[in-house]
Structures are given as structure tokens and as C-alpha cells.
């Protein structure tokens, strides 16, 4: 059974930082590409970043230079380090993976950027 569990969200002031974690089970984690997405009410889920099995990364334009995605294959966890946070980064953040033809999502973690 594939399971993704996000953690690390919270309330942070503009300019602050948060590190999100996504712990995976039920997949060969070191072989899996992992993605981060976010969603605000009334809007479609938005892709934020990917990290591939070899460690290469891609980012949406709004995340470049501020967010860093990483992975620890020993811990079966992917991270999203978010710096210089802005109010418009407020959203529920989800991790996602595609495994054996199916997409799997975590339950999400709320990030609120506000003074």
C-alpha cells in the first residue's frame, strides 16, 4: 500500500522559512520521482517542484531561487525547503508520486504566510 505523509506546515511571517517533509512507504523510493504541488481554495492544484530518482530537480518559475526540493533515500523522505515566503505562497501543499501507472497523493499540509 502506497502512503505519502506530509508534515512541517504552519504559520510563518512574510520573508520567513519553512521546511516541508513527505515520508513515503509502499514504493521503491529511490527509484521514484517525487513532486510537490499546492492548492488554494477555488483554484486548480498547482505544480511547484519535482525531484527525480537521480536527484535532478525542476521548479515552477515562482519557486525558482526561493524553494529547494531534496530527498533522503535512506529516510524515504522528500523535503521542500521554502525561503523568502510570500503571502501568495499560502496554500495546502501536497507531495505526489506516480508508481506503477497510478498517481498517489498525501493528505496535504497547510502553509499560511501572514503577518
Amino acid at each position: 500500500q502506497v502512503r505519502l505523509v506530509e508534515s512541517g506546515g504552519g504559520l510563518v511571517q512574510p520573508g520567513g522559512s519553512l521546511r516541508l517533509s513527505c515520508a513515503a512507504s509502499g514504493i521503491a523510493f529511490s527509484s521514484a520521482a517525487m513532486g510537490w504541488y499546492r492548492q488554494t481554495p477555488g483554484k486548480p492544484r498547482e505544480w511547484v517542484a519535482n525531484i527525480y530518482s537521480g536527484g535532478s530537480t525542476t521548479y515552477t518559475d515562482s519557486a525558482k531561487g526561493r524553494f529547494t526540493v531534496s530527498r533522503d533515500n535512506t529516510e524515504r523522505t522528500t523535503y521542500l525547503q521554502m525561503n523568502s515566503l510570500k503571502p501568495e505562497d499560502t496554500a495546502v501543499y501536497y507531495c505526489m508520486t506516480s508508481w506503477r501507472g497510478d498517481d498517489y497523493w498525501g493528505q496535504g499540509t497547510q502553509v499560511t504566510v501572514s503577518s
Side-chain angles (χ1 to χ4, degrees), residues 10-92:
L11 173 64
V12 63
Q13 293 187 342
S17 297
L18 281 176
R19 188 177 81 155
L20 307 183
S21 301
C22 171
S25 58
I27 60 173
F29 182 80
S30 61
S31 300
M34 303 297 297
W36 285 96
Y37 290 74
R38 65 188 182 185
Q39 190 170 24
T40 55
K43 293 187 177 181
R45 197 165 290 187
E46 173 191 24
W47 171 69
V48 175
N50 283 345
I51 184 164
Y52 299 93
S53 58
S56 61
T57 58
T58 53
Y59 299 91
T60 192
D61 285 346
S62 63
K64 288 178 183 175
R66 299 190 300 127
F67 294 3
T68 302
V69 59
S70 61
R71 65 191 299 154
D72 183 331
N73 289 337
T74 301
E75 296 295 325
R76 306 172 61 82
T77 299
T78 184
Y79 303 98
L80 186 66
Q81 176 68 44
M82 304 187 295
N83 299 328
S84 302
L85 282 162
K86 304 175 183 180
E88 51 264 43
D89 295 317
T90 296
V92 178

